[in-house]
Amino acid sequence: MRRVRAAVAGAPGAPFTVRDANLEEPRPYEVLVRMTAAGICHTDVGMRDTWPRHLTPMVFGHEGAGRVEAVGAEVTAVTPGDHVCLTFASCGVCEQCAADHPAYCHAAQALNFSGGRPDGTTPLSLDGQPLHAGFFGQSSFATHAVVHERGVLPVPPDLPAAVAAPLGCSGQTGAGTVLNRLRPAPGSSLVVMGAGGVGLSALMAAVATGCDPVVAVDPVASRRALATGLGAKAALAPGDGLVAALRDLTGGGAHHVVETTGRPEMARRAVGALRPRGELALLGLGAEVTFDVMGLLAKGVRVHGVLEGDSDPGRFVPELIGLYRRGLLPLDRLVTTFPFEEIGAAVAAMQGGGVVKPVLTFTE
């Protein structure tokens, strides 16, 4: 058992409060990681606000990066001292994992969203009581995390921790949707709705693969400017006339639209912006959305629901690192760092729209 600092949500919707807690040593297939960085995603805040009360207090965080401090007796993938990024948990043996689609693991709920291990235990405790953890298999809003070895990915020691952290979720979700699922042909048009960490990762992947034009939609002027700086031919605010403007920019309709906002009205606009036989990828966590079925049929639209970029992280994260090294996925341009103890300020900056990807940093 060791003493750690963790950002605790005491109840659904409660702010994160940094507290002292106790953390168990890793079990045979687990890895103890000392955090060096942890990205903050809208998912962390949205899930915190709707999290079941009986699974609180809870530690969130699912874009961790750090160094391995200890490994369980059966761990073979990493050794103490390795630099790693953390990603979602998967069983490795079900039909989807065996087919290299672990984002759709049959055990995903128990491994990522149960508030602990599948057996009901949690490695964290607070004031002598269980502190729920295991969010996306990691709960990286803490100075240390105990993670199953399948969620631990070695990264090069010289890769900046603030870049490694988003690779575990937002980077692979956005880029993977383009590269793994949509697989656009060079010269095809692609629209990204929502220029946050996920949307801009999709945009960079689309630019890297030769899509033309690439268009971004976002209400925040600074994010639109960043989108054009990253290669978008245009960036529009989501006002009246958006669909007509997108159709004009894409020569009659986009081949692909990546919708990251989770807003029903934006999903419907996305369908309107597609050309016949276009493809819509839905990434945002949001409310129920209804479509005019005849409109979908008449256009022959294909709708994709995509989790984690349909990525096999062990294969895909090294590919993303390669794109970063070549300057094609400059994730560092999305990042603003905050000390871990300032997690409240980091969340507020993200929610205000001024910061795209806040990343918490930890002192050694």
Side-chain angles (χ1 to χ4, degrees), residues 76-105:
T76 58
V78 293
T79 59
D82 285 351
H83 293 250
V84 295
C85 80
L86 308 183
T87 191
F88 61 91
S90 58
C91 74
V93 296
C94 71
E95 174 190 22
Q96 294 301 321
C97 287
D100 298 328
H101 299 286
Y104 307 102
C105 173

Side-chain angles (χ1 to χ4, degrees), residues 270-329:
V271 172
L274 285 167
R275 67 178 57 205
R277 301 185 69 246
E279 297 184 81
L280 168 61
L282 297 174
L283 278 61
L285 301 178
E288 180 176 318
V289 58
T290 58
F291 296 109
D292 172 20
V293 175
M294 282 306 299
L296 295 177
L297 295 176
K299 277 190 169 182
V301 167
R302 179 178 296 180
V303 179
H304 301 262
V306 189
L307 291 176
E308 297 288 349
D310 199 355
S311 305
D312 177 359
R315 174 193 62 79
F316 191 55
V317 167
E319 291 182 16
L320 295 181
I321 294 172
L323 291 173
Y324 170 77
R325 299 280 205 204
R326 293 161 54 198
L328 299 176
L329 193 76

Side-chain angles (χ1 to χ4, degrees), residues 23-46:
L23 181 67
E24 294 178 0
E25 295 301 306
R27 292 182 177 182
Y29 289 97
E30 293 177 338
V31 179
L32 173 68
V33 179
R34 181 185 181 92
M35 292 298 142
T36 52
I40 300 177
C41 180
H42 283 283
T43 301
D44 292 303
V45 180

Side-chain angles (χ1 to χ4, degrees), residues 52 83 90 93 112 140 146 162 179 187 192 194 201 205 246 322 334 340 344-345 353 359 364:
H83 293 250
S90 58
V93 296
N112 295 283
S140 52
V146 166
L179 301 176
V192 175
S201 295
L246 291 173
L334 314 186
F340 172 56
V359 174
E364 290 291 339

